[in-house]
Amino acid sequence: MNYRPSRRAKRIGIASAALLVVAGMNAPWLIRFSTEQFNQYNINRAGYKAENGLWQVLDVPAKYRVNTIHAALLHTGKVLLVAGSGNDAEQFKAKTFRSVLWDPEKNTYKNIPTPKDMFCSGHTQLPDGKLLIAGGTQRYETLEGDVEKAGGLMIVSNENPDKPMTLPEGTRFKGNKSGKSFVTQKSLLLPRAKKDIDPVTGEAEVTASQSRIYVEAKHKGKKHATGDTEQYSVVGLSSQDSKNVYGIANKLSFDKKDFQGINEAYEFDPVAEKYLPVDPMEDARWYPTLTTLEDGRVLTVSGLDDIGEVSEKVEIYDPKTKKWQTLPKQRYFPTYPAMFLAGKDRLFYSGTSSGYGPAEEGRTPGLWDWKTDRFTKIKGLSDPDALETAMAVLLPPAQNQRYMVLGGGGIGESRKVTDKTRIVDLTENTPRFKDGPKLYAPVRYPSSVILPDDSVLTTNGSGGYRGWSDSNVLKAELYDARSNTSRPVADPLIGRNYHSGALLLPDGKVMTFGSDSLFDDEANTKPGEFEQQIDIWSPPYLFRDERPELHDDGEKPQVVELGGTAEFRTADAAKVKQVRLIRPSSFTHVTNIEQRSVALEFETTDDGIEVTLPKDPTLVPPGYYMVNAVDGEGTPSQAVWVHVPVDASLG
């Protein structure tokens, strides 16, 4: 039987044919449109969110957008976003240094006056809830070929035992042979010379004090460079002082100029919402690590100094006196070494770092007794030459003293990158690294965040140095420390590599920030732009029917001593299966040594729960903490803050 289509069928057929022609012409766009539409539908399904969580963009008003290099959660619940000059040389020259305070609960913002360039500083939480920020940028890097003024290191001596000297920024030194002049880039304090009297002869022996300073020619041009060691006089000093104070320098040339650090330090007060200056460090530092110790003091290591060399001095900051003390013994670590408090006078160095230092020095992980300077190496690390730009985490709960190193790459611009995770248990008699589950991809710069349910979110990173060749990885996963397994979760919205990070917020969500690609295309021809977008990830536990509630009746957080107890109201006491004490994070450059989640013992009361803190100050260093009650499904309450003071036996 022959079939004869109706007029309507003909019209549909003609329209369909036309649509197919259009589709053929525009297939890539239509496919892309359909894929994006389906993806949006899929990721917003209730079942998908309950399994994988949800990413959303934080709508930050334009006047508060900054190149977030550093971020720290404060005990007020607000987040301090620090850019400084934001890796922008023009902003540095203009002395435009920025910080923004964000209130996640109210979604409000405030610009904070920023006194120095805190770009690439170090920071840590102090016992009273202030944030210590030390170091930053004195000078931007200038590559060989781009250097316009000759410069370099000068050693300045003071032979006067009765008089210290301060040379202001801009002091001019003139060569005694060449007559060439060089100018200091910052002020310099010269201690008085040392004077010893011989007890037998009564004769005095004077030893000059020496300080170093970076100097630069006053004018541009090759003719101002030098090639020999030369002594320099200080222009403008009195005849007597000029005899005692002088400089000596080797060649002052057009070699590559590294970044240089500053020695200034500040405490950020979360209540007054401003920076407060404290005494400076002895050494300038750029890319240093600061670790809060069990007695509330802070140890700092590494960082490029005022002439662009890695500092080997170890300094201790005392929050009571606001002063620094330099330890007698020195130790070398690459910049931004991940240095965790792991016992009395003991720090665990994961071997991970970010940025500067030779491949053959200071790369081996181990336990360091900073008082005796004894260092015990820890072996077994796979891909030991891919630790730079790797992430290190103290796995939850902290009592287990298990640490994980995730991803990483080779030194500098090396193309080596790894997807390994490596775990070490410090409670073993002879700790040794073992491989954990592989990451979602080989990546540098992954960001890992400990969640209240004892899982660890790891997200983003790139397969190449600073996202080279469009190598950003839009993946995320959750690691379960109990089962030693990982599973994928919702993909991030944008790529994040160098100068990015992530923080746990009091409501149980995670914020991600930053990214600073060198290039913006696969061919590496289009310069990259700093990513100012901030994203919020809501974990799967926030898409369950209900979550426990925890309440504190006081206007201020409870003060709970080590070994002490705190009570909280909750109608969900019978559902609570575990309680976690979580230290607020302070993240920069793939480094977040603050975060730790401590298991708390607890009992139910008539109207809630009573928790007991551990007695070990190395497990719970002093400061403010979040308390989360977690039910049997792993759903945490919103955090309640407590304040753990310095242990009386240590104070």
Side-chain angles (χ1 to χ4, degrees), residues 138 186 212-214 260-261 284-285 304-309:
Q138 167 69 25
K186 60 182 296 186
R212 63 185 192 177
I213 188 75
Y214 181 85
Q260 296 171 358
R285 298 181 190 268
L304 300 188
D305 60 20
D306 55 349
I307 61 168
E309 295 182 353

Side-chain angles (χ1 to χ4, degrees), residues 122-126 130-132 290-292 298 583 586 594:
H123 30 84
T124 189
Q125 307 279 354
L126 293 174
K130 295 186 181 73
L131 185 77
L132 176 65
L290 277 63
T291 304
T292 298
V298 174
R583 189 170 177 87
S586 181
E594 292 281 357

